Amino acid sequence: MAKPPATAWRLTILLLLWLTSVAVANDDVPGSIDIGALQHQLLRAPTSYLVTDTRTSLQEVLNRDFQPLTNGSVNQGISSRTYWLRVRLQNTETQDRRWVMHHETAYLDNMTAYVMDSGQSPQEIAMTDRVPFHERSLHYRKLGFEHTTPAGDWSDVYLRLDYAKADSISLNVHLWDHQAYVQKLQEEHLLFGGYFGITVALCLIALLFAFVMREATYLYYALFLTISGLMWAQINGFAYQYLFPAQPYWHNEGCHIGYLLFVIITFQFTRTFLHTAEYFPRINRLMYGLQLIMILAIGLRLLGDYGVVLHIAYASLTLPLLMLPALGWLAYRKGMVYARWFSIAWLVYSLGLATSLISAYTRLLPWGMEALTYAQIGSLLESMFLLVALGERLRSREEGRHEALRQANYDPLTQLGNRRLLAQQYDVVARRFENTGMPVFLLMIDLDHFKALNDTYGHLAGDHILQKLADLLRAHCQGSGTCVRLGGEEFAMLLQVPDQRTALEIAERIRQAFCRTPTHYREQHIVHTLSIGLAPVLTAERKLSLQEAMIQADEALYQGKVSSRNCTTVYESAA
């Protein structure tokens, strides 16, 4: 039998060696993610992770034992350690697959990717937020990169994640099909554009109110919206991408300053909105002291301190969720009705903020920093609720002003107007007379022998009689005039009717009704009468001031009292 050619033996040996190398390579990364039908997913097992103390190299970790990446291991709290992720992406399709991988947060300092296609030498992609934004390999607000896995092949990916200084670390990494990633960018810009657009609109409304009302509360609300919007732009990465792309210092060092400024202006808005200096002096002093501490922390941060300010910044964010919902409720209990919306606003925000802080500071929650999304939605709802609170506060103040005017213009016993209201209404009917020519008449009304009624039946009975007369006057002047109590048992009625005969008929109906209807008070039957003096005020022939009209009507009343009482007397001039 003929021996196989030497070249055939060599080819067979090379094939066996290649298959062995492939098998070994496949054993290096247990399991794989099929990207043949990839749209989007978060990296989880078979993705695995490793924690090292320093920024180790790829060669140092290749033979280390990795652990499966699960929901429970995503949040790592505040850490300065280095984290490695390892995953194999298997392309089972007959065409190349282009994919994108990026970290969950915009504030990760460093991410280095090592990509090996089908066991080839690793391609290193170094990413950091310590360089101008335009130097990023992927023009995106979060650190990321894109790669293409050939058809039928695989890509082994090692990711190294760390911070230059200790911060909140999440191991959430997103994997996208490239087309799905592009679609996601469009949706992201639409959603975030809506968020920042609404924030700007609310800020402009607040500035308009601050200008019109000349009140600091609305200015502090506008500052609160501005700082809140900038803080979220910083957290989201949009501030670095669009506001200061050439200044990585502010992207890295400004975040904690933003937190502190946010709480400072929040406390300032709260102090003015809830009048804490007047209603909660101890809490007001506490908030003022905390503001000073946070201002000092900002100074320390600008001078280069990091560790202390980091913890002060996170601690300061807990203060609003601990204090403000309860403070709003206490203010509501003290009569500030609008404070209920303040309390609701901070309760909504606090839920999202609390979960974000727990995610950032501990390993208790398995969501990574996804809680930031809920906190940002909560901040938008909070801003709207605060605007509602400001609106209700304005309405409450307006109602208080109207109530003060009502108390200034009305008699508390009879709920009729007083002299102030009579003067105001005289101006109204005078303008109406100029437009329509309809005459105006004044009735001066006085109870007969009222002192004797008080002495006989008591002052409470006298008050009851006055209230009954007030009801009678109200019933007869509706739609045609204004009735007021001048003081004691003296009343006046300003009538705008077609002629003097009509005014006289109204006066007589009042007099006769009061005379025919005794007052029953505590089983007492009280008979009473009144006298009326009538004077033309504004007619085609005469135009009197209110003071002149009151003098003439009072003179007519006096003539009636002297002659017989229980009568209506019309003023007649001496001429």
Side-chain angles (χ1 to χ4, degrees):
M1 185 175 178
K3 295 183 179 179
T7 54
W9 281 108
R10 284 196 293 270
L11 288 173
T12 302
I13 292 171
L14 289 173
L15 178 62
L16 290 173
L17 289 173
W18 180 79
L19 291 173
T20 301
S21 66
V22 170
V24 170
N26 277 292
D27 287 339
D28 286 341
V29 183
S32 63
I33 295 176
D34 185 359
I35 60 172
L38 173 68
Q39 289 297 307
H40 167 254
Q41 69 180 82
L42 286 169
L43 294 186
R44 292 291 187 272
T47 304
S48 54
Y49 80 100
L50 174 69
V51 185
T52 61
D53 290 331
T54 60
R55 296 196 69 205
T56 49
S57 65
L58 176 64
Q59 288 70 26
E60 292 177 281
V61 302
L62 282 177
N63 297 320
R64 301 278 294 272
D65 291 330
F66 282 66
Q67 305 175 58
L69 180 62
T70 63
N71 288 337
S73 55
V74 166
N75 280 1
Q76 295 292 322
I78 303 294
S79 175
S80 59
R81 306 181 77 184
T82 297
Y83 294 82
W84 288 84
L85 300 184
R86 180 180 69 178
V87 63
R88 169 164 291 176
L89 305 180
Q90 186 81 42
N91 182 8
T92 58
E93 297 293 306
T94 56
Q95 58 184 0
D96 295 350
R97 295 291 290 179
R98 187 179 177 191
W99 47 268
V100 174
M101 193 175 284
H102 66 78
H103 190 257
E104 177 186 38
T105 68
Y107 50 83
L108 179 68
D109 284 348
N110 304 297
M111 183 167 88
T112 304
Y114 300 92
V115 184
M116 295 165 277
D117 293 326
S118 303
Q120 298 177 7
S121 298
Q123 173 189 353
E124 180 179 346
I125 306 169
M127 296 153 279
T128 178
D129 64 359
R130 302 284 167 162
V131 297
F133 189 85
H134 70 271
E135 295 184 21
R136 295 192 171 194
S137 57
L138 184 69
H139 193 77
Y140 185 48
R141 58 194 179 90
K142 302 174 183 178
L143 294 181
F145 67 99
E146 62 179 48
H147 188 75
T148 300
T149 300
D153 280 346
W154 72 86
S155 298
D156 289 336
V157 180
Y158 284 79
L159 291 179
R160 184 175 64 197
L161 313 175
D162 58 50
Y163 285 98
K165 302 172 185 176
D167 211 327
S168 172
I169 185 75
S170 163
L171 302 187
N172 261 343
V173 174
H174 292 261
L175 175 63
W176 295 86
D177 170 72
H178 186 267
Q179 286 300 115
Y181 165 76
V182 172
Q183 179 66 31
K184 188 265 299 197
L185 281 186
Q186 296 173 352
E187 295 173 356
E188 246 188 21
H189 280 80
L190 183 64
L191 289 173
F192 282 105
Y195 169 82
F196 290 111
I198 292 173
T199 301
V200 170
L202 292 176
C203 187
L204 291 176
I205 291 172
L207 287 173
L208 179 62
F209 270 89
F211 177 76
V212 172
M213 303 295 295
R214 297 290 196 276
E215 188 174 338
T217 305
Y218 296 96
L219 180 60
Y220 289 137
Y221 176 62
L223 287 173
F224 165 80
L225 291 171
T226 302
I227 297 298
S228 179
L230 289 174
M231 181 185 73
W232 282 109
Q234 180 93 343
I235 293 172
N236 298 146
F238 288 111
Y240 187 31
Q241 185 173 2
Y242 295 110
L243 298 181
F244 38 78
Q247 298 172 315
Y249 172 84
W250 287 111
H251 174 65
N252 288 278
E253 310 301 329
C255 202
H256 302 135
I257 293 176
Y259 297 161
L260 293 166
L261 285 174
F262 171 74
V263 181
I264 289 170
I265 196 63
T266 294
F267 279 0
Q268 192 64 28
F269 169 71
T270 299
R271 290 170 60 201
T272 58
F273 183 74
L274 298 182
H275 306 287
T276 55
E278 178 181 355
Y279 292 99
F280 309 100
R282 292 183 180 178
I283 295 177
N284 183 70
R285 288 193 294 270
L286 173 62
M287 293 170 69
Y288 182 73
L290 291 171
Q291 286 177 298
L292 292 178
I293 291 174
M294 286 180 272
I295 291 172
L296 177 62
I298 291 175
L300 290 175
R301 188 73 190 90
L302 293 174
L303 291 174
D305 183 272
Y306 181 84
V308 173
V309 178
L310 168 71
H311 296 290
I312 292 177
Y314 279 121
S316 70
L317 286 176
T318 66
L319 296 175
L321 65 93
L322 292 175
M323 295 176 59
L324 300 188
L327 183 58
W329 175 250
L330 290 175
Y332 174 72
R333 294 290 299 272
K334 283 185 174 290
M336 288 180 256
V337 178
Y338 54 85
R340 59 185 173 180
W341 291 107
F342 178 91
S343 186
I344 292 171
W346 280 104
L347 186 61
V348 169
Y349 192 26
S350 295
L351 294 176
L353 191 59
T355 54
S356 298
L357 288 171
I358 293 172
S359 295
Y361 231 85
T362 72
R363 303 180 63 174
L364 296 177
L365 299 179
W367 310 325
M369 292 310 296
E370 185 179 344
L372 282 172
T373 303
Y374 306 123
Q376 191 163 0
I377 294 172
S379 76
L380 184 60
L381 293 174
E382 174 214 29
S383 298
M384 292 179 174
F385 283 135
L386 287 178
L387 184 63
V388 173
L390 283 167
E392 188 164 3
R393 178 175 180 263
L394 182 61
R395 189 185 70 176
S396 177
R397 289 178 56 184
E398 189 65 16
E399 289 176 351
R401 189 179 70 86
H402 282 300
E403 177 61 21
L405 286 174
R406 194 194 69 79
Q407 292 181 3
N409 292 334
Y410 284 82
D411 171 55
L413 175 64
T414 63
Q415 297 303 307
L416 292 178
N418 56 21
R419 284 180 185 268
R420 188 194 303 268
L421 183 65
L422 183 65
Q424 294 173 1
Q425 289 304 113
Y426 176 80
D427 294 336
V428 173
V429 296
R431 288 193 296 269
R432 194 182 301 151
F433 171 77
E434 293 295 331
N435 295 328
T436 65
M438 182 174 289
V440 178
F441 302 88
L442 180 64
L443 306 182
M444 295 290 283
I445 304 163
D446 188 85
L447 274 76
D448 297 329
H449 306 295
F450 185 67
K451 183 178 183 303
L453 292 175
N454 271 334
D455 293 342
T456 304
Y457 300 102
H459 288 281
L460 292 179
D463 289 346
H464 195 66
I465 294 170
L466 293 175
Q467 290 170 337
K468 181 179 177 181
L469 176 56
D471 294 339
L472 180 63
L473 295 178
R474 257 190 299 268
H476 282 82
C477 77
Q478 286 182 355
S480 60
T482 301
C483 45
V484 302
R485 182 188 180 195
L486 298 176
E489 70 273 23
E490 295 181 328
F491 295 79
M493 182 181 292
L494 200 60
L495 292 174
Q496 190 162 28
V497 292
D499 48 46
Q500 183 171 296
R501 182 176 61 83
T502 304
L504 186 58
E505 288 176 354
I506 292 174
E508 277 297 289
R509 284 199 299 269
I510 294 171
R511 183 188 64 80
Q512 292 174 15
F514 190 68
C515 176
R516 290 197 302 261
T517 311
T519 296
H520 298 281
Y521 180 75
R522 292 186 178 179
E523 300 181 354
Q524 299 181 94
H525 189 74
I526 306 173
V527 178
H528 39 56
T529 61
L530 56 79
S531 300
I532 301 176
L534 187 153
V537 180
L538 299 172
T539 65
E541 295 79 21
R542 63 166 65 184
K543 294 180 181 178
L544 304 180
S545 68
L546 178 60
Q547 185 176 7
E548 292 171 335
M550 291 180 70
I551 291 173
Q552 293 186 5
D554 197 52
E555 186 175 330
L557 174 64
Y558 176 75
Q559 293 170 2
K561 287 251 184 201
V562 170
S563 61
S564 64
R565 300 184 188 274
N566 190 22
C567 62
T568 299
T569 307
V570 180
Y571 174 80
E572 294 181 2
S573 63

